[in-house]
Amino acid sequence: MKLQLLKLITVLTVFTFSTTAKECDFSKPEITLPENYSSNLEILEIATRALSFSENGITYYTDLSELQKADRRKKKTKSSPAYLDAVGRIKTVLTNRQVSYCSGTLISAIPGQSSRVIKSAGHCFGNTETESKYDIKSITWETTTKSGLKIVKDLNIEELNLERDSAVLSFNGKIPFSTIKPALIETELAMHPSEFIRYDNQTTVISAGYSSDNLKGDNGKTLTYDDQIRAQEFINLNAYDRRKFGVQTVSFSGASGGALLVDVDLSYEDIDNPYKQVYYVGTTITLGYDTKYYKESSSSTSAGSASTNYDSYLGVDDRFLNELNK
């Protein structure tokens, strides 16, 4: 299709140049159009429309070549870091039998502590415009550990803030620390997530979630992650609200509620992390602003972009978290 489109554009360009050349001679030649000219124009129009379409006032591009160049995501495998086990897939079933999928992360505020608390995005469980909770029948969280152990937990909503697009959930019983190390909420430093990078040249920033694309996400069945995020790729969205920020990293629908993690040594600040847990610094909330949006086809339900927006960990109440994890 791309080759055919290129050929049609080439034909039109050459034809335009020929016409322009004649007009520069101040003559008005009679132009005989090729017999297939009209049909070629129709094909070109259809091909152009196929590269993008509008839906609910948003333009989506179906040519993913540009997005693929920016896509550094990897698929989670048995050789991937164990800290990714803390990021699971959330399935929400409504009373009307509708089903949606998001992501959610096992978190804790105390090093070495087992956890039963999941952090996710509020819009997975309610309407952020009307600030009304969905009529929910069930919520489950699922992850598979590096060792191959599949864990499925029924979740309860403990806190839902639809204004901030934030949700805290829990399940009965804790997952042993030896099975999954929760991502840590840092309570001693109140830093913007981008500031974690300055402490160590070996710092790794990771965006992880269950994107529902078919490029790498296997329609949401496989966790994908980008562990090559650099300091200059952080985006300041609002000078008056530093809790919302963006990062130049690819994500698709389904990654909502996912995690921005940082693997960093904070010993310079006398922060003790004896079990080498990663820090939880942000929750995936939306695709990026002021960017192109993509879908694999006009019938696809999964949208993606080359940048992603997050809600900072600073919005998590560590006292409430510790109470839930008693």
Side-chain angles (χ1 to χ4, degrees), residues 147-211:
S147 64
L149 176 65
K150 182 178 179 179
I151 298 174
V152 181
K153 295 290 186 180
D154 294 324
L155 299 182
N156 297 305
I157 297 176
E158 298 288 353
E159 181 182 74
L160 182 61
N161 188 331
L162 292 172
E163 182 181 2
R164 287 213 58 83
D165 200 355
S166 174
V168 176
L169 307 95
S170 70
F171 50 83
N172 293 328
K174 295 181 179 181
I175 296 176
F177 186 80
S178 58
T179 302
I180 298 180
K181 293 181 180 180
L184 268 181
I185 298 290
E186 172 49 45
T187 59
E188 296 182 50
L189 295 176
M191 298 190 300
H192 188 273
S194 63
E195 295 174 346
F196 278 83
I197 300 176
R198 71 184 184 186
Y199 285 94
D200 185 358
N201 291 332
Q202 303 302 315
T203 297
T204 303
V205 181
I206 310 103
S207 178
Y210 284 82
S211 286

Side-chain angles (χ1 to χ4, degrees), residues 61-317:
Y61 295 86
T62 54
D63 180 357
L64 305 184
S65 56
E66 184 178 340
L67 184 68
Q68 287 176 294
K69 290 178 182 178
D71 192 358
R72 300 175 301 226
R73 292 177 303 154
K74 305 172 185 176
K75 291 185 176 185
K76 180 187 176 184
T77 65
K78 290 184 178 180
S79 62
S80 299
Y83 57 68
L84 293 172
D85 295 348
V87 185
R89 191 186 193 197
I90 292 178
K91 177 182 179 180
T92 303
V93 181
L94 305 186
T95 54
N96 63 5
R97 297 184 180 180
Q98 286 186 326
V99 178
S100 67
Y101 292 92
C102 280
S103 305
T105 307
L106 187 71
I107 61 171
S108 173
I110 300 175
Q113 181 186 54
S114 300
S115 179
R116 67 183 193 94
V117 179
I118 300 295
K119 180 70 176 68
S120 189
H123 69 260
C124 297
F125 315 103
N127 189 313
T128 55
E129 291 185 9
T130 62
E131 295 188 21
S132 57
K133 180 185 173 184
Y134 296 141
D135 293 325
I136 297 173
K137 180 180 180 181
S138 65
I139 308 172
T140 55
W141 180 82
E142 178 181 322
T143 188
T144 301
T145 67
K146 189 178 178 71
S147 64
L149 176 65
K150 182 178 179 179
I151 298 174
V152 181
K153 295 290 186 180
D154 294 324
L155 299 182
N156 297 305
I157 297 176
E158 298 288 353
E159 181 182 74
L160 182 61
N161 188 331
L162 292 172
E163 182 181 2
R164 287 213 58 83
D165 200 355
S166 174
V168 176
L169 307 95
S170 70
F171 50 83
N172 293 328
K174 295 181 179 181
I175 296 176
F177 186 80
S178 58
T179 302
I180 298 180
K181 293 181 180 180
L184 268 181
I185 298 290
E186 172 49 45
T187 59
E188 296 182 50
L189 295 176
M191 298 190 300
H192 188 273
S194 63
E195 295 174 346
F196 278 83
I197 300 176
R198 71 184 184 186
Y199 285 94
D200 185 358
N201 291 332
Q202 303 302 315
T203 297
T204 303
V205 181
I206 310 103
S207 178
Y210 284 82
S211 286
S212 56
D213 61 300
N214 286 314
L215 296 175
K216 296 181 180 180
D218 297 328
N219 200 29
K221 296 176 183 177
T222 300
L223 180 80
T224 56
Y225 64 101
D226 177 4
D227 59 0
Q228 301 177 55
I229 297 170
R230 299 166 294 178
Q232 60 267 34
E233 292 176 323
F234 279 77
I235 305 166
N236 186 16
L237 299 177
N238 189 332
Y240 301 100
D241 184 4
R242 299 191 73 203
R243 290 187 181 182
K244 294 287 193 296
F245 63 96
V247 175
Q248 292 174 11
T249 184
V250 171
S251 65
F252 281 80
S253 306
S256 292
L260 190 70
L261 307 170
V262 179
D263 186 5
V264 60
D265 180 5
L266 296 178
S267 58
Y268 178 82
E269 294 285 353
D270 293 327
I271 302 297
D272 192 22
N273 185 4
Y275 304 99
K276 308 300 180 185
Q277 293 167 257
V278 291
Y279 292 97
Y280 185 92
V281 298
T283 306
T284 307
I285 51 173
T286 66
L287 299 179
Y289 302 145
D290 298 325
T291 185
K292 285 185 177 180
Y293 300 107
Y294 298 87
K295 284 192 174 185
E296 293 172 84
S297 69
S298 58
S299 60
S300 174
T301 58
S302 178
S305 74
S307 65
T308 306
N309 293 339
Y310 300 85
D311 183 42
S312 170
Y313 76 103
L314 295 172
V316 178
D317 186 341

